[in-house]
Amino acid sequence: MNAWIATKDPANVDAAADQIAQHEPNRLTEADGDREFAVWMYGVDRAIRRRTNGFSHRDLPDFGWKDAYNNDLSPALAAADAIAHWEEIGDL
């Protein structure tokens, strides 16, 4: 489990995962059924949207999201790293 998500109340994580499953089930599919990872990716997308006026992780070049999760990055830090990568390769 990611260190960031481990700091969250498990009941809140479960509730967020339930909401994702109900309203955006494709997020769970993309996360291979890993509910905690799906919640983390939702946080990534929120951070990206705040910094880019509406983009999501799907709009960015390939990035090692699961590696970032496994390396205990927070969603905000992973989003910042992905945006920096996007800027570096010249697409932003």
Side-chain angles (χ1 to χ4, degrees), residues 24-78:
E24 296 184 77
N26 62 314
R27 284 187 179 274
L28 283 175
T29 302
E30 290 174 356
D32 293 326
D34 184 334
R35 291 169 54 91
E36 289 86 10
F37 182 56
V39 170
W40 184 86
M41 284 301 301
Y42 183 81
V44 165
D45 278 338
R46 288 184 61 186
I48 291 171
R49 283 188 182 103
R50 279 192 300 269
R51 292 194 55 194
T52 63
N53 295 321
F55 287 97
S56 79
H57 76 279
R58 292 178 193 96
D59 299 308
L60 276 62
D62 288 340
F63 189 79
W65 298 113
K66 191 65 173 189
D67 290 338
Y69 176 81
N70 288 335
N71 289 329
D72 294 326
L73 271 64
S74 69
L77 184 54

